[in-house]
């Protein structure tokens, strides 16, 4: 496939994708296809490379019912989706946290002397440039922003292989976190729910064509 054909296929996937409200419960995504979608999330970029996320694939029916009760935006998706994902964000992704220090040492293989310089520079970035240390919510919201990069990649990857999806913010964050904490899924407060996504195969075609603002109204070249 040449570049022109690739671009055409990618844009076609974007045009075909829509926020699917209900899926065909009889159709299941293959393990190979869903692992592909998850891999695009795992390989997604994040600020400073901190990967402040965790992906919960909720297939348990009882847990889905508990979440459905406090998620107005997932009423049609939770009972019908082939796969349902809750993306968690790190509660504390400070550059000097144990999590980040271990990530840099064990996963990124950053030498100790380099890590010291990085920690000092990145702390200034977090504390003074972004002012993330003013409260816990600011730090969590910064981590949560990163999860949306992974979310977008998952939605796009799914669309490119003919799988439907729906991103979901319509849930009571406090109650969902309480449910997940009771299930022991937040690692003693190390994570909090950021956003959800449902995946499967649509039952019905969208009732309307996709409308977006015109190119010139959202894109401005500065030369």
């Amino acid at each position: 496939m040449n570049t022109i054909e690739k671009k055409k296929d990618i844009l076609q996937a974007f045009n075909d994708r829509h926020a699917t409200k209900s899926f065909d419960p009889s159709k299941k995504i293959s393990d190979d296809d869903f692992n592909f979608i998850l891999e695009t999330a795992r390989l997604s970029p994040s600020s400073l490379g901190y990967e402040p996320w965790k992906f919960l694939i909720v297939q348990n029916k009882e847990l889905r019912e508990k979440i459905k009760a406090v998620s107005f935006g997932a009423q049609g998706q939770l009972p019908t989706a082939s796969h349902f994902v809750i993306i968690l964000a790190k509660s504390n992704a400070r550059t000097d946290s144990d999590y980040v220090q271990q990530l840099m040492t064990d996963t990124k293989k950053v030498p100790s002397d380099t890590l010291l310089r990085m920690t000092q520079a990145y702390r200034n970035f977090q504390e003074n440039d972004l002012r993330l240390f003013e409260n816990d919510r600011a730090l969590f919201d910064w981590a949560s922003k990163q999860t949306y990069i992974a979310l977008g990649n998952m939605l796009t990857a799914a669309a490119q292989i003919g799988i439907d999806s729906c991103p979901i913010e319509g849930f009571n964050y406090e109650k969902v976190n309480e449910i997940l904490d009771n299930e022991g899924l937040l690692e003693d407060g190390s994570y909090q729910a950021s956003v959800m996504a449902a995946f499967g195969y649509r039952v019905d075609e969208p009732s309307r064509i996709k409308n977006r603002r015109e190119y010139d109204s959202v894109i401005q070249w500065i030369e």
Side-chain angles (χ1 to χ4, degrees):
M1 181 183 296
N2 61 37
T3 301
I4 294 176
E5 290 173 332
K6 285 182 180 179
K7 289 190 290 187
K8 182 179 179 180
D9 284 349
I10 291 170
L11 287 178
Q12 187 62 53
F14 272 86
N15 277 291
D16 289 343
R17 191 212 64 77
H18 76 108
T20 305
K21 305 305 181 185
S22 184
F23 300 89
D24 185 339
S26 68
K27 295 182 179 180
K28 300 300 179 183
I29 301 170
S30 70
D31 290 344
D32 183 70
D33 281 349
F34 202 71
N35 283 330
F36 161 75
I37 293 170
L38 291 174
E39 190 67 354
T40 67
R42 189 182 72 87
L43 294 174
S44 293
S46 59
S47 184
L48 306 179
Y50 281 0
E51 305 174 39
W53 48 50
K54 186 175 182 179
F55 305 90
L56 302 181
I57 298 85
V58 182
Q59 303 301 81
N60 181 278
K61 290 184 178 180
E62 291 183 2
L63 183 53
R64 282 197 187 192
E65 281 299 314
K66 291 179 183 178
I67 296 168
K68 180 174 179 284
V70 295
S71 303
F72 72 89
Q75 294 298 296
Q77 295 90 338
L78 271 163
T80 62
S82 171
H83 291 68
F84 194 86
V85 179
I86 300 176
I87 307 180
L88 307 181
K90 261 290 180 184
S91 299
N92 178 13
R94 284 176 58 125
T95 192
D96 53 3
S97 67
D98 290 341
Y99 164 76
V100 170
Q101 293 294 300
Q102 184 175 4
L103 176 75
M104 291 293 132
T105 301
D106 297 345
T107 303
K108 310 294 187 183
K109 309 298 182 184
V110 177
S112 57
D113 57 336
T114 302
L115 179 58
L116 179 61
R117 294 194 298 272
M118 289 174 62
T119 299
Q120 293 171 340
Y122 290 172
R123 180 186 173 93
N124 181 66
F125 167 69
Q126 287 187 320
E127 183 175 16
N128 299 316
D129 294 339
L130 296 185
R131 302 176 69 176
L132 300 180
F133 297 172
E134 292 184 347
N135 55 70
D136 292 340
R137 182 58 188 262
L139 194 60
F140 169 76
D141 283 349
W142 176 74
S144 186
K145 287 180 181 179
Q146 315 311 313
T147 69
Y148 278 69
I149 301 173
L151 170 67
N153 287 339
M154 294 175 75
L155 302 181
T156 301
Q160 288 185 275
I161 59 173
I163 293 173
D164 296 302
S165 62
C166 185
I168 298 164
E169 288 186 313
F171 59 93
N172 184 301
Y173 282 72
E174 182 178 350
K175 292 179 179 178
V176 166
N177 278 312
E178 182 180 351
I179 291 169
L180 297 178
D181 190 40
N182 289 338
E183 297 288 333
L185 297 171
L186 299 183
E187 298 186 15
D188 296 325
S190 293
Y191 290 93
Q192 297 180 56
S194 175
V195 67
M196 302 174 176
F199 296 86
Y201 296 95
R202 68 185 72 178
V203 174
D204 302 309
E205 291 300 316
S207 59
R208 60 184 181 180
I209 62 172
K210 179 169 289 185
N211 293 316
R212 292 291 188 269
R213 293 162 62 193
E214 294 295 331
Y215 181 97
D216 290 341
S217 68
V218 296
I219 297 171
Q220 180 179 359
W221 290 74
I222 313 297
E223 297 181 354

